[in-house]
């Protein structure tokens, strides 16, 4: 029987968990084996993971017993929720609570909870700088994750709290790529003013997570922030210009304008960018690039990522 330790991976068919699964599988006969958890073991992505050597197991974040079964016998668990599937902080909280209880009951020795800040610790609900959303949140998809940290702590799960960063992949998949303005020139737009936005290649998140698991107990109980590079909007636009060979500008749209863009989640993201802008020194300081590279020596900077992905970026 193999003496590899099993890492049970929530979201293994997605960006974060997928990066972790691929990193484990690439390490071949290393100390860990990948158990990919998905609701649909017959999807193309699940079948690909199985073909690449992962154990594929069915479970649903809404079903605690299924999670406990999926975690059974695992040494580590990567825990992530997908706010953007349902846009409900309450559902995200319930799913995180299920994860924490299941990890405890299955006696997981090291969990990573993919979290973000509860921004209400910086901007209280009565703070008028940004609107309160859904009655009790400032940045719903951040606040619920940060609030859920306590579930892991209170349930006594040995956990590393992983603070992720803005995926550069949002320029491909999330409608944030360069858009043509009325004069035909391309621009990226987000409300960071001249402050730096920590970003990361989504694939690198899983590689950093593997680096955390490889450290054994060292980072249990710690909060670890990761980023590939911290760049201003102008610096990102300059990288786009160099890599695409056509001018891309940065439009520092104000948060109140961004919140009114009208796409689903625009208010949440407007508040999110404002939080990153207004508390920029803190926000950058907890996402150290060199510490991230120490966990993942392959960590990409923005221009490297862009060079690899330029054909995939839709130019609106
Ligand atoms: N975009 C960004 O810049 C950014 C930055 C930091 C953090 N985040 C956070 O990242 C999270 C999403 O992670 P991701 O980007 O890795 O996701 P993703 O690529 O959209 O994939 C979602 C994954 O979650 C799994 N999943 C969703 N609901 C599930 C359920 N009920 N039971 C079991 N599995 C479920 C899916 O598995 P199956 O469909 O196979 O079951 C899939 O593997 C969000 O909460 C977001 O707030 C995003």
């Amino acid at each position: 029987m193999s003496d590899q330790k099993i890492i049970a991976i929530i979201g293994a068919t997605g960006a974060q968990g997928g990066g972790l699964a691929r990193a484990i599988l690439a390490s071949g006969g290393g100390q860990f084996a990948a158990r990919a958890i998905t609701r649909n073991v017959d999807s193309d992505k699940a079948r690909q993971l199985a073909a690449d050597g992962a154990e594929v197991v069915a479970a649903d974040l809404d079903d605690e017993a299924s999670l406990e079964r999926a975690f059974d016998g695992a040494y580590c668990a990567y825990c992530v929720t997908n706010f953007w599937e349902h846009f409900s902080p309450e559902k995200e909280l319930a799913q995180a609570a299920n994860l924490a209880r299941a990890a405890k009951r299955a006696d997981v020795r090291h969990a990573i909870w993919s979290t973000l800040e509860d921004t209400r610790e910086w901007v209280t609900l009565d703070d008028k700088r940004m609107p309160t959303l859904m009655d009790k949140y400032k940045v719903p998809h951040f606040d619920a994750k940060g609030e859920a940290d306590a579930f892991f702590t209170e349930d006594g799960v040995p956990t590393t709290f992983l603070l992720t960063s803005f995926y550069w992949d949002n320029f491909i998949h999330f409608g944030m790529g360069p858009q043509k303005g009325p004069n035909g020139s391309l621009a990226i737009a987000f409300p960071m003013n001249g402050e730096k936005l920590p970003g990361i290649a989504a694939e690198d998140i899983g590689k950093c997570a593997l680096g955390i698991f490889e450290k054994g107990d060292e980072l249990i109980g710690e909060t670890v922030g990761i980023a590939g590079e911290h760049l201003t909007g102008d610096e990102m636009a300059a990288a786009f210009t160099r890599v695409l060979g056509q001018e891309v500008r940065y439009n520092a749209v104000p948060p109140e304008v961004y919140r009114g863009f009208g796409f689903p989640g625009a208010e949440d993201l407007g508040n999110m960018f404002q939080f990153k802008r207004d508390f920029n020194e803190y926000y950058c300081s907890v996402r150290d690039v060199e510490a991230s590279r120490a966990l993942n020596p392959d960590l990409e900077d923005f221009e490297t990522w862009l060079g690899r992905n330029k054909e995939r970026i839709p130019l609106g």
Side-chain angles (χ1 to χ4, degrees):
M1 196 183 133
S2 163
D3 56 3
Q4 286 180 315
K5 292 173 180 158
I6 294 168
I7 301 181
I9 308 164
I10 300 292
T13 57
Q16 296 189 23
L20 173 58
R22 285 182 285 278
I24 298 166
L25 295 169
S27 72
Q31 60 168 317
F32 295 113
R35 179 182 290 170
I37 300 171
T38 172
R39 286 165 294 185
N40 179 7
V41 297
D42 291 322
S43 72
D44 290 347
K45 287 182 176 175
R47 286 175 183 273
Q48 186 63 54
L49 287 163
D52 292 342
E55 177 192 5
V56 177
V57 169
D60 192 317
L61 288 168
D62 296 324
D63 176 355
E64 185 186 330
S66 75
L67 294 173
E68 191 182 336
R69 285 193 298 276
F71 287 166
D72 185 45
Y75 194 91
C76 303
Y78 188 77
C79 299
V80 60
T81 45
N82 185 13
F83 178 88
W84 302 112
E85 185 168 309
H86 46 71
F87 292 76
S88 163
E90 277 73 31
K91 188 164 173 120
E92 189 159 48
L93 281 162
Q95 292 182 336
N98 286 344
L99 282 166
R101 279 192 301 266
K104 182 63 187 171
R105 292 165 78 111
D107 197 23
V108 164
R109 306 302 172 84
H110 188 177
I112 292 179
W113 165 231
S114 178
T115 188
L116 288 165
E117 284 86 353
D118 184 341
T119 65
R120 297 166 296 184
E121 290 172 23
W122 286 263
V123 192
T124 51
L125 290 184
D126 59 359
D127 192 319
K128 300 280 183 265
R129 274 177 292 185
M130 60 176 79
T132 293
L133 303 177
M134 301 177 185
D135 297 331
K136 48 181 177 174
Y137 302 99
K138 287 298 188 185
V139 184
H141 79 285
F142 267 53
D143 297 348
K145 291 184 181 70
E147 186 175 331
D149 289 1
F151 301 148
F152 290 83
T153 309
E154 286 162 9
D155 287 343
V157 182
T159 305
T160 302
F161 300 91
L162 182 64
L163 290 171
T164 56
S165 287
F166 176 88
Y167 306 173
W168 294 321
D169 308 66
N170 293 334
F171 291 123
I172 304 173
H173 305 297
F174 223 73
M176 292 190 184
Q179 304 279 317
K180 273 207 176 78
N183 61 358
S185 65
L186 289 168
I188 50 172
F190 42 82
M192 289 295 295
N193 206 356
E195 304 292 349
K196 286 186 185 289
L197 176 65
I200 193 162
E203 191 74 7
D204 274 331
I205 296 174
K207 292 183 182 178
C208 291
L210 181 56
I212 291 170
F213 285 134
E214 283 172 345
K215 284 190 174 290
D217 294 349
E218 193 180 318
L219 294 172
I220 288 176
E222 303 289 326
T223 297
V224 175
I226 52 172
E229 202 171 2
H230 301 173
L231 293 171
T232 64
D234 282 335
E235 288 167 338
M236 293 179 121
F240 269 113
T241 300
R242 285 191 294 275
V243 172
L244 298 181
Q246 56 179 314
E247 194 186 11
V248 176
R249 304 176 67 157
Y250 166 56
N251 178 7
V253 53
E256 48 278 19
V257 173
Y258 195 96
R259 282 191 281 268
F261 276 170
F263 62 85
E267 289 180 300
D268 189 331
L269 292 177
N271 282 5
M272 174 196 79
F273 281 118
Q274 187 177 345
F275 170 71
K276 294 180 185 185
R277 181 196 74 177
D278 292 354
F279 301 92
N280 195 252
E281 196 178 332
Y282 154 77
Y283 190 80
C284 290
S285 73
V286 294
R287 289 166 170 80
D288 186 77
V289 174
E290 286 321 309
S292 307
R293 187 160 287 115
L295 291 169
N296 165 23
D298 296 340
L299 190 78
E300 286 187 326
D301 61 20
F302 182 56
E303 205 151 327
T304 307
W305 177 86
L306 198 52
R308 266 195 323 103
N309 289 284
K310 61 183 176 191
E311 314 293 348
R312 301 172 66 209
I313 293 178
L315 302 176

